[in-house]
Tab-separated table of all heavy atoms in Angstrom:
chain	number	residue	atom	x	y	z
A	206	LYS	N	18.530	-1.609	-9.028
A	206	LYS	CA	18.928	-3.005	-8.818
A	206	LYS	C	17.753	-3.887	-9.255
A	206	LYS	O	16.890	-4.242	-8.435
A	206	LYS	CB	19.199	-3.210	-7.319
A	206	LYS	CG	20.340	-4.136	-6.997
A	206	LYS	CD	20.633	-4.111	-5.492
A	206	LYS	CE	21.575	-5.201	-5.091
A	206	LYS	NZ	22.915	-5.056	-5.644
A	209	SER	N	16.281	-6.674	-7.203
A	209	SER	CA	15.672	-6.393	-5.892
A	209	SER	C	14.178	-6.676	-5.912
A	209	SER	O	13.594	-7.040	-4.885
A	209	SER	CB	15.929	-4.940	-5.470
A	209	SER	OG	15.228	-4.045	-6.317
A	212	PHE	N	12.621	-9.704	-4.301
A	212	PHE	CA	12.694	-9.856	-2.844
A	212	PHE	C	11.655	-9.008	-2.124
A	212	PHE	O	11.869	-8.599	-0.984
A	212	PHE	CB	14.087	-9.465	-2.354
A	212	PHE	CG	15.181	-10.366	-2.834
A	212	PHE	CD1	15.777	-10.167	-4.064
A	212	PHE	CD2	15.607	-11.441	-2.053
A	212	PHE	CE1	16.780	-11.010	-4.522
A	212	PHE	CE2	16.609	-12.275	-2.501
A	212	PHE	CZ	17.197	-12.075	-3.735
B	96	ASP	N	19.371	-14.984	13.598
B	96	ASP	CA	18.579	-13.855	14.099
B	96	ASP	C	17.558	-13.517	13.038
B	96	ASP	O	17.613	-14.059	11.927
B	96	ASP	CB	19.482	-12.635	14.367
B	96	ASP	CG	19.953	-11.994	13.075
B	96	ASP	OD1	20.769	-12.605	12.375
B	96	ASP	OD2	19.459	-10.896	12.733
B	97	VAL	N	16.632	-12.620	13.365
B	97	VAL	CA	15.617	-12.227	12.379
B	97	VAL	C	15.689	-10.727	12.076
B	97	VAL	O	14.716	-10.137	11.601
B	97	VAL	CB	14.183	-12.596	12.848
B	97	VAL	CG1	14.056	-14.101	13.039
B	97	VAL	CG2	13.810	-11.852	14.129
B	98	GLY	N	16.834	-10.124	12.333
B	98	GLY	CA	16.988	-8.679	12.142
B	98	GLY	C	16.803	-8.274	10.681
B	98	GLY	O	17.145	-9.019	9.764
B	99	SER	N	16.296	-7.054	10.488
B	99	SER	CA	15.997	-6.561	9.141
B	99	SER	C	17.232	-6.022	8.430
B	99	SER	O	17.157	-5.620	7.266
B	99	SER	CB	14.973	-5.431	9.204
B	99	SER	OG	13.806	-5.872	9.835
B	100	VAL	N	18.352	-5.944	9.142
B	100	VAL	CA	19.599	-5.475	8.551
B	100	VAL	C	20.619	-6.575	8.798
B	100	VAL	O	20.582	-7.229	9.852
B	100	VAL	CB	20.059	-4.159	9.212
B	100	VAL	CG1	21.395	-3.708	8.660
B	100	VAL	CG2	18.998	-3.083	9.006
B	101	LYS	N	21.529	-6.830	7.849
B	101	LYS	CA	22.405	-7.975	8.044
B	101	LYS	C	23.889	-7.647	8.169
B	101	LYS	O	24.571	-8.266	8.982
B	101	LYS	CB	22.186	-9.018	6.937
B	101	LYS	CG	20.786	-9.646	6.971
B	101	LYS	CD	20.643	-10.901	7.837
B	101	LYS	CE	20.688	-10.756	9.320
B	101	LYS	NZ	19.432	-10.386	9.949
B	102	SER	N	24.421	-6.671	7.439
B	102	SER	CA	25.866	-6.405	7.537
B	102	SER	C	26.261	-6.085	8.970
B	102	SER	O	27.209	-6.669	9.513
B	102	SER	CB	26.260	-5.232	6.637
B	102	SER	OG	26.030	-5.546	5.294
B	103	SER	N	25.541	-5.179	9.609
B	103	SER	CA	25.925	-4.753	10.954
B	103	SER	C	25.697	-5.872	11.964
B	103	SER	O	26.495	-6.049	12.892
B	103	SER	CB	25.160	-3.485	11.357
B	103	SER	OG	23.775	-3.746	11.430
B	104	VAL	N	24.637	-6.665	11.799
B	104	VAL	CA	24.382	-7.764	12.732
B	104	VAL	C	25.451	-8.843	12.590
B	104	VAL	O	25.996	-9.340	13.585
B	104	VAL	CB	22.964	-8.358	12.484
B	104	VAL	CG1	22.792	-9.670	13.243
B	104	VAL	CG2	21.881	-7.361	12.897
B	105	VAL	N	25.777	-9.195	11.343
B	105	VAL	CA	26.789	-10.235	11.118
B	105	VAL	C	28.151	-9.753	11.631
B	105	VAL	O	28.902	-10.504	12.261
B	105	VAL	CB	26.847	-10.609	9.617
B	105	VAL	CG1	28.038	-11.516	9.319
B	105	VAL	CG2	25.537	-11.273	9.191
B	120	GLY	N	23.183	-15.206	9.750
B	120	GLY	CA	22.041	-14.295	9.852
B	120	GLY	C	20.871	-14.732	8.979
B	120	GLY	O	21.056	-15.364	7.944
B	121	SER	N	19.664	-14.399	9.438
B	121	SER	CA	18.450	-14.630	8.639
B	121	SER	C	17.628	-13.348	8.619
B	121	SER	O	17.738	-12.510	9.514
B	121	SER	CB	17.548	-15.709	9.269
B	121	SER	OG	18.191	-16.931	9.397
B	122	HIS	N	16.786	-13.228	7.598
B	122	HIS	CA	15.814	-12.133	7.592
B	122	HIS	C	14.526	-12.613	6.937
B	122	HIS	O	14.355	-12.514	5.717
B	122	HIS	CB	16.374	-10.915	6.853
B	122	HIS	CG	15.377	-9.792	6.750
B	122	HIS	ND1	15.420	-8.827	5.776
B	122	HIS	CD2	14.286	-9.492	7.496
B	122	HIS	CE1	14.400	-7.999	5.929
B	122	HIS	NE2	13.692	-8.382	6.965
B	123	PRO	N	13.615	-13.131	7.766
B	123	PRO	CA	12.306	-13.499	7.221
B	123	PRO	C	11.488	-12.231	7.009
B	123	PRO	O	11.281	-11.467	7.948
B	123	PRO	CB	11.695	-14.379	8.324
B	123	PRO	CG	12.373	-13.947	9.582
B	123	PRO	CD	13.721	-13.392	9.217
B	124	MET	N	11.064	-11.970	5.770
B	124	MET	CA	10.333	-10.724	5.488
B	124	MET	C	8.852	-10.951	5.763
B	124	MET	O	8.043	-11.075	4.840
B	124	MET	CB	10.567	-10.282	4.052
B	124	MET	CG	12.023	-9.942	3.811
B	124	MET	SD	12.328	-9.337	2.137
B	124	MET	CE	11.636	-7.693	2.231
B	144	MET	N	9.166	-14.406	1.933
B	144	MET	CA	10.566	-14.512	1.530
B	144	MET	C	11.443	-14.517	2.782
B	144	MET	O	11.207	-13.730	3.701
B	144	MET	CB	10.889	-13.280	0.679
B	144	MET	CG	12.332	-13.114	0.286
B	144	MET	SD	12.815	-14.261	-1.011
B	144	MET	CE	11.817	-13.641	-2.383
B	145	CYS	N	12.418	-15.422	2.847
B	145	CYS	CA	13.415	-15.364	3.931
B	145	CYS	C	14.796	-15.387	3.306
B	145	CYS	O	15.135	-16.286	2.544
B	145	CYS	CB	13.246	-16.534	4.891
B	145	CYS	SG	14.457	-16.487	6.232
B	146	MET	N	15.585	-14.346	3.635
B	146	MET	CA	16.952	-14.301	3.115
B	146	MET	C	17.902	-14.791	4.194
B	146	MET	O	17.782	-14.372	5.351
B	146	MET	CB	17.304	-12.869	2.723
B	146	MET	CG	16.447	-12.412	1.550
B	146	MET	SD	16.835	-10.745	1.009
B	146	MET	CE	15.372	-9.901	1.581
B	147	ILE	N	18.822	-15.678	3.860
B	147	ILE	CA	19.856	-16.041	4.820
B	147	ILE	C	21.196	-15.606	4.265
B	147	ILE	O	21.456	-15.679	3.064
B	147	ILE	CB	19.803	-17.539	5.241
B	147	ILE	CG1	19.979	-18.487	4.065
B	147	ILE	CG2	18.456	-17.852	5.911
B	147	ILE	CD1	19.874	-19.957	4.487
B	148	THR	N	22.033	-15.089	5.175
B	148	THR	CA	23.203	-14.337	4.727
B	148	THR	C	24.489	-14.860	5.367
B	148	THR	O	25.061	-14.218	6.254
B	148	THR	CB	23.039	-12.846	5.089
B	148	THR	OG1	22.884	-12.754	6.526
B	148	THR	CG2	21.809	-12.241	4.437
B	149	PRO	N	24.960	-16.042	4.926
B	149	PRO	CA	26.208	-16.586	5.474
B	149	PRO	C	27.390	-15.673	5.136
B	149	PRO	O	27.429	-15.099	4.043
B	149	PRO	CB	26.338	-17.930	4.755
B	149	PRO	CG	25.496	-17.812	3.520
B	149	PRO	CD	24.389	-16.878	3.869
B	173	ARG	N	16.138	-17.553	0.155
B	173	ARG	CA	17.183	-17.158	-0.787
B	173	ARG	C	18.453	-16.887	0.021
B	173	ARG	O	18.399	-16.331	1.114
B	173	ARG	CB	16.793	-15.887	-1.539
B	173	ARG	CG	15.484	-15.999	-2.313
B	173	ARG	CD	15.673	-16.674	-3.654
B	173	ARG	NE	16.355	-15.806	-4.590
B	173	ARG	CZ	15.732	-14.938	-5.404
B	173	ARG	NH1	14.425	-14.840	-5.388
B	173	ARG	NH2	16.421	-14.200	-6.233
B	174	VAL	N	19.600	-17.302	-0.544
B	174	VAL	CA	20.885	-17.123	0.133
B	174	VAL	C	21.657	-16.004	-0.568
B	174	VAL	O	21.818	-16.050	-1.787
B	174	VAL	CB	21.714	-18.435	0.083
B	174	VAL	CG1	23.056	-18.252	0.777
B	174	VAL	CG2	20.920	-19.582	0.708
B	175	LEU	N	22.103	-15.019	0.179
B	175	LEU	CA	22.925	-13.964	-0.422
B	175	LEU	C	23.836	-13.324	0.632
B	175	LEU	O	23.715	-13.648	1.813
B	175	LEU	CB	22.091	-12.922	-1.158
B	175	LEU	CG	21.043	-12.082	-0.453
B	175	LEU	CD1	20.394	-11.138	-1.469
B	175	LEU	CD2	19.940	-12.917	0.153
B	176	SER	N	24.748	-12.493	0.190
B	176	SER	CA	25.711	-11.910	1.129
B	176	SER	C	25.034	-10.828	1.967
B	176	SER	O	24.041	-10.227	1.541
B	176	SER	CB	26.889	-11.305	0.370
B	176	SER	OG	26.488	-10.094	-0.237
B	177	PRO	N	25.542	-10.566	3.176
B	177	PRO	CA	24.959	-9.515	4.016
B	177	PRO	C	24.856	-8.166	3.288
B	177	PRO	O	23.829	-7.485	3.378
B	177	PRO	CB	25.934	-9.431	5.198
B	177	PRO	CG	26.533	-10.795	5.295
B	177	PRO	CD	26.650	-11.267	3.867
B	178	ARG	N	25.879	-7.793	2.548
B	178	ARG	CA	25.885	-6.497	1.877
B	178	ARG	C	24.820	-6.439	0.773
B	178	ARG	O	24.082	-5.457	0.654
B	178	ARG	CB	27.286	-6.260	1.272
B	178	ARG	CG	27.423	-4.989	0.453
B	178	ARG	CD	27.410	-3.756	1.318
B	178	ARG	NE	27.171	-2.544	0.545
B	178	ARG	CZ	27.212	-1.323	1.046
B	178	ARG	NH1	27.472	-1.137	2.326
B	178	ARG	NH2	26.972	-0.284	0.301
B	179	GLU	N	24.770	-7.533	0.001
B	179	GLU	CA	23.763	-7.617	-1.072
B	179	GLU	C	22.364	-7.527	-0.460
B	179	GLU	O	21.489	-6.819	-0.975
B	179	GLU	CB	23.944	-8.969	-1.785
B	179	GLU	CG	22.985	-9.224	-2.926
B	179	GLU	CD	23.456	-8.654	-4.248
B	179	GLU	OE1	24.494	-7.975	-4.264
B	179	GLU	OE2	22.761	-8.868	-5.254
B	180	HIS	N	22.172	-8.254	0.643
B	180	HIS	CA	20.883	-8.195	1.358
B	180	HIS	C	20.520	-6.761	1.717
B	180	HIS	O	19.398	-6.295	1.491
B	180	HIS	CB	20.935	-9.050	2.626
B	180	HIS	CG	19.810	-8.775	3.568
B	180	HIS	ND1	19.842	-7.730	4.476
B	180	HIS	CD2	18.609	-9.366	3.717
B	180	HIS	CE1	18.696	-7.707	5.135
B	180	HIS	NE2	17.938	-8.686	4.707
B	181	ASP	N	21.484	-6.066	2.302
B	181	ASP	CA	21.196	-4.719	2.810
B	181	ASP	C	20.861	-3.740	1.690
B	181	ASP	O	20.009	-2.859	1.859
B	181	ASP	CB	22.378	-4.197	3.637
B	181	ASP	CG	22.468	-4.901	4.984
B	181	ASP	OD1	21.566	-5.718	5.287
B	181	ASP	OD2	23.433	-4.643	5.726
B	182	GLU	N	21.535	-3.891	0.547
B	182	GLU	CA	21.231	-3.007	-0.577
B	182	GLU	C	19.823	-3.291	-1.114
B	182	GLU	O	19.090	-2.372	-1.480
B	182	GLU	CB	22.268	-3.191	-1.698
B	182	GLU	CG	23.630	-2.623	-1.295
B	182	GLU	CD	24.696	-2.891	-2.348
B	182	GLU	OE1	24.395	-3.540	-3.368
B	182	GLU	OE2	25.847	-2.448	-2.127
B	183	ILE	N	19.465	-4.556	-1.125
B	183	ILE	CA	18.133	-4.934	-1.630
B	183	ILE	C	17.038	-4.446	-0.690
B	183	ILE	O	16.060	-3.834	-1.118
B	183	ILE	CB	18.060	-6.463	-1.849
B	183	ILE	CG1	18.842	-6.836	-3.110
B	183	ILE	CG2	16.607	-6.932	-1.944
B	183	ILE	CD1	19.014	-8.320	-3.336
B	184	VAL	N	17.168	-4.702	0.624
B	184	VAL	CA	16.091	-4.275	1.527
B	184	VAL	C	16.013	-2.757	1.644
B	184	VAL	O	14.943	-2.210	1.913
B	184	VAL	CB	16.180	-4.935	2.937
B	184	VAL	CG1	15.932	-6.430	2.826
B	184	VAL	CG2	17.464	-4.591	3.629
B	185	ALA	N	17.144	-2.078	1.433
B	185	ALA	CA	17.080	-0.605	1.417
B	185	ALA	C	16.100	-0.152	0.347
B	185	ALA	O	15.320	0.783	0.559
B	185	ALA	CB	18.468	-0.016	1.152
B	186	LEU	N	16.100	-0.839	-0.795
B	186	LEU	CA	15.223	-0.462	-1.910
B	186	LEU	C	13.791	-0.948	-1.750
B	186	LEU	O	12.851	-0.209	-2.017
B	186	LEU	CB	15.787	-1.011	-3.231
B	186	LEU	CG	17.001	-0.287	-3.804
B	186	LEU	CD1	17.669	-1.138	-4.879
B	186	LEU	CD2	16.589	1.069	-4.383
B	187	VAL	N	13.607	-2.197	-1.324
B	187	VAL	CA	12.250	-2.764	-1.363
B	187	VAL	C	11.562	-2.817	0.004
B	187	VAL	O	10.402	-3.198	0.083
B	187	VAL	CB	12.225	-4.180	-2.008
B	187	VAL	CG1	12.753	-4.128	-3.431
B	187	VAL	CG2	12.953	-5.204	-1.159
B	188	SER	N	12.272	-2.417	1.070
B	188	SER	CA	11.628	-2.439	2.387
B	188	SER	C	11.829	-1.113	3.130
B	188	SER	O	10.870	-0.480	3.548
B	188	SER	CB	12.182	-3.612	3.211
B	188	SER	OG	11.754	-3.533	4.549
B	189	HIS	N	13.083	-0.670	3.272
B	189	HIS	CA	13.332	0.520	4.081
B	189	HIS	C	12.872	1.791	3.362
B	189	HIS	O	12.260	2.670	3.969
B	189	HIS	CB	14.811	0.581	4.474
B	189	HIS	CG	15.280	-0.688	5.137
B	189	HIS	ND1	16.578	-0.955	5.436
B	189	HIS	CD2	14.589	-1.782	5.557
B	189	HIS	CE1	16.675	-2.154	5.999
B	189	HIS	NE2	15.483	-2.669	6.072
B	234	ILE	N	16.514	0.335	12.478
B	234	ILE	CA	16.785	-0.283	11.173
B	234	ILE	C	17.442	0.731	10.240
B	234	ILE	O	18.451	0.448	9.588
B	234	ILE	CB	15.481	-0.829	10.553
B	234	ILE	CG1	14.987	-2.047	11.340
B	234	ILE	CG2	15.675	-1.167	9.078
B	234	ILE	CD1	13.595	-2.531	10.942
B	238	ASN	N	21.334	0.640	8.648
B	238	ASN	CA	21.495	0.460	7.203
B	238	ASN	C	21.645	1.806	6.514
B	238	ASN	O	21.158	2.026	5.414
B	238	ASN	CB	20.270	-0.291	6.645
B	238	ASN	CG	20.595	-0.994	5.329
B	238	ASN	OD1	21.749	-1.331	5.070
B	238	ASN	ND2	19.582	-1.215	4.510
B	241	PRO	N	23.268	2.241	2.518
B	241	PRO	CA	22.369	1.775	1.434
B	241	PRO	C	21.049	2.545	1.405
B	241	PRO	O	20.539	2.852	0.317
B	241	PRO	CB	22.128	0.297	1.781
B	241	PRO	CG	23.349	-0.104	2.566
B	241	PRO	CD	23.710	1.117	3.372
Side-chain angles (χ1 to χ4, degrees):
Chain A
K206 217 172 169 66
S209 68
F212 295 85
Chain B
D96 72 290
V97 299
S99 302
V100 177
K101 295 271 71 83
S102 296
S103 64
V104 169
V105 171
S121 301
H122 177 204
M124 296 183 74
M144 173 75 67
C145 180
M146 294 181 251
I147 60 182
T148 59
R173 302 278 287 271
V174 180
L175 61 180
S176 74
R178 176 72 196 185
E179 180 86 355
H180 166 277
D181 287 356
E182 289 176 358
I183 285 172
V184 293
L186 285 165
V187 301
S188 170
H189 307 172
I234 290 171
N238 203 26

